[in-house]
Amino acid sequence: MKKILVAGAGLAGCTAARLLAEQGHQLTIYEAREHIGGNIYDEKQASGITRQIYGPHIFHTRQQEIWQFVTRFTKMRPFQHRVLSYTQGQLYPFPINRDTICQLYGINLANDEVPAFLEQEVKKAKFDLPAKNFRDAIVSQVGEYLYHCFFENYTAKQWQRDPSELSAEVAGRIPVRANRDGRYFTDRYQGIPLPGYTAMCEKMLDHPQIKVCCKQPYKKGDEQDFDLLIYTGRLDDFFERDEGELSYRSVHFDFQTLDEREYQPAAVVNYPNDYDFTRITEFKHMTGEHSTQTEICLEYPSAEGVPCYVVLNQENLALRERYQAKAKALENAEKVIFLGRLAEYKYYNMDQVIARAIEVCAQI
């Protein structure tokens, strides 16, 4: 049995703690915030609708093992996420599919005609292959007009950088479809925890071998009384930013309770070209809760606040490599494990975080 300190009670920390507790280890979690759950934390409002306090999160995975793990701790409400994007005064299905193209261009294409149409759009565009940046990665798939309508300004708002400054890795998360499938994700398993993500995390941590200390941030040296540290915080913070500061993007969330049953026709509507906010979420579409009121959230990208997104440009990728070399040395010495989006400075969906935690904990 090991005494293990987990820095952070987000999804990575909760998953690792539960897995290791079931192996017989003794876990203590230090969490800087006053609540568990990290950025998937949610809470029910007086309206009867649950707000996801750090923006919309839809659980999706192709792996049965991951789905079986989360459903040990929560019942899932089946939910197929569909996003709309507002451009040129209209709402369009997003990601781009056959219907998006036909509506935008005023044409009628069969599914099997879409690839040839996109190929012609791409031929008219200028870009580098292999893709050097975000712009290249998108334009090489859909051409310049679709890129301009749906991606260019949204990306600039989100990251406060020209898309040509961002790594092509960012664009890897965006699908483009030749059929009429309007779902944002096509994974076999998709859903929202019926009691909420916070309740799911509480169930994960409900184990006699786990002790949770909220409002107690991890400080360097706290691990001295433990056999191992699992660190889920900012990678550069752990090393006191001695190589420089990694860039993270945050979001300012403007929550509103409205006296109407429905505000918009989908859970999420993107605003790539209009307004300062990037998207509006209406939570009752996801949770299935009923109320005469509704809860919406407008998202304004920000450089300050809770870190939500890693900024994958060339400068940060080079900096990440230097920090990861130091992290690897500590991991090889079996002193620290770096786990999660912030600690590994990588894009991870929720299922990827859990899969990574399963992989890491199996080696302890």
Side-chain angles (χ1 to χ4, degrees), residues 31 205 215 221 266 286 322 347 353:
E31 169 53 55
L205 300 178
K215 295 192 288 187
M286 295 188 295
R322 295 201 295 272
Y347 269 119
V353 170

Side-chain angles (χ1 to χ4, degrees), residues 116-128:
F117 177 85
L118 290 175
E119 184 178 344
Q120 290 302 313
E121 289 295 294
V122 170
K123 282 182 179 179
K124 295 185 289 186
K126 295 181 179 180
F127 54 89
D128 289 317

Side-chain angles (χ1 to χ4, degrees), residues 155-161 166 170 249 309-311 347:
T155 305
K157 280 199 289 186
Q158 178 74 25
W159 303 100
Q160 291 297 297
R161 287 168 172 79
L166 292 171
V170 179
R249 292 295 293 166
Y309 306 101
V310 298
V311 182
Y347 269 119

Side-chain angles (χ1 to χ4, degrees), residues 264-313:
Q264 61 190 27
V268 174
V269 176
N270 292 345
Y271 289 84
N273 305 309
D274 299 87
Y275 311 107
D276 291 333
F277 50 82
T278 52
R279 63 182 178 179
I280 298 178
T281 299
E282 185 171 16
F283 295 105
K284 67 185 346 180
H285 289 289
M286 295 188 295
T287 63
E289 295 162 323
H290 299 283
S291 173
T292 56
Q293 296 179 304
T294 193
E295 299 283 343
I296 67 169
C297 175
L298 287 69
E299 295 186 27
Y300 295 85
S302 171
E304 304 296 329
V306 174
C308 297
Y309 306 101
V310 298
V311 182
L312 298 181
N313 58 17

Side-chain angles (χ1 to χ4, degrees), residues 84-332:
L84 298 174
S85 187
Y86 180 82
T87 186
Q88 299 186 2
Q90 296 186 52
L91 292 171
Y92 294 86
F94 190 83
I96 294 168
N97 62 19
R98 176 262 179 196
D99 290 347
T100 314
I101 293 168
C102 290
Q103 183 182 344
L104 184 67
Y105 287 85
I107 57 177
N108 187 21
L109 298 175
N111 288 359
D112 59 4
E113 295 175 314
V114 171
F117 177 85
L118 290 175
E119 184 178 344
Q120 290 302 313
E121 289 295 294
V122 170
K123 282 182 179 179
K124 295 185 289 186
K126 295 181 179 180
F127 54 89
D128 289 317
L129 278 182
K132 293 181 179 179
N133 52 52
F134 177 92
R135 181 194 177 279
D136 289 343
I138 298 297
V139 173
S140 65
Q141 296 178 73
V142 300
E144 291 184 344
Y145 185 53
L146 287 163
Y147 166 74
H148 173 72
C149 288
F150 295 104
F151 298 99
E152 184 176 23
N153 295 322
Y154 187 96
T155 305
K157 280 199 289 186
Q158 178 74 25
W159 303 100
Q160 291 297 297
R161 287 168 172 79
D162 188 278
S164 63
E165 298 177 17
L166 292 171
S167 166
E169 186 179 338
V170 179
R173 296 162 56 86
I174 300 168
V176 178
R177 304 195 184 108
N179 58 22
R180 303 188 66 186
D181 189 348
R183 297 174 299 162
Y184 199 84
F185 309 113
T186 58
D187 296 338
R188 181 177 181 182
Y189 305 101
Q190 301 184 43
I192 305 288
L194 270 172
Y197 285 103
T198 303
M200 180 185 80
C201 291
E202 287 172 347
K203 282 284 186 69
M204 282 188 185
L205 300 178
D206 184 15
H207 192 284
Q209 295 288 96
I210 299 174
K211 176 184 178 182
V212 182
C213 305
C214 287
K215 295 192 288 187
Q216 183 163 345
Y218 162 79
K219 302 186 300 296
K220 204 67 174 288
D222 285 341
E223 69 274 17
Q224 291 179 358
D225 295 329
F226 296 85
D227 301 311
L228 179 67
L229 168 65
I230 297 178
Y231 180 78
T232 70
R234 286 181 55 143
L235 178 60
D236 53 348
D237 278 357
F238 183 86
F239 295 102
E240 298 174 326
R241 306 188 184 183
D242 58 3
E243 295 285 349
E245 183 176 353
L246 286 165
S247 298
Y248 296 82
R249 292 295 293 166
S250 186
V251 180
H252 168 68
F253 300 100
D254 177 15
F255 292 98
Q256 299 178 21
T257 303
L258 305 179
D259 290 323
E260 50 189 288
R261 289 188 179 275
E262 182 177 289
Y263 178 77
Q264 61 190 27
V268 174
V269 176
N270 292 345
Y271 289 84
N273 305 309
D274 299 87
Y275 311 107
D276 291 333
F277 50 82
T278 52
R279 63 182 178 179
I280 298 178
T281 299
E282 185 171 16
F283 295 105
K284 67 185 346 180
H285 289 289
M286 295 188 295
T287 63
E289 295 162 323
H290 299 283
S291 173
T292 56
Q293 296 179 304
T294 193
E295 299 283 343
I296 67 169
C297 175
L298 287 69
E299 295 186 27
Y300 295 85
S302 171
E304 304 296 329
V306 174
C308 297
Y309 306 101
V310 298
V311 182
L312 298 181
N313 58 17
Q314 293 305 314
E315 180 183 354
N316 284 314
L317 289 172
L319 195 54
R320 177 181 72 179
E321 191 172 331
R322 295 201 295 272
Y323 278 125
Q324 285 183 331
K326 294 183 175 185
K328 190 66 176 176
L330 291 174
E331 289 183 330
N332 289 340

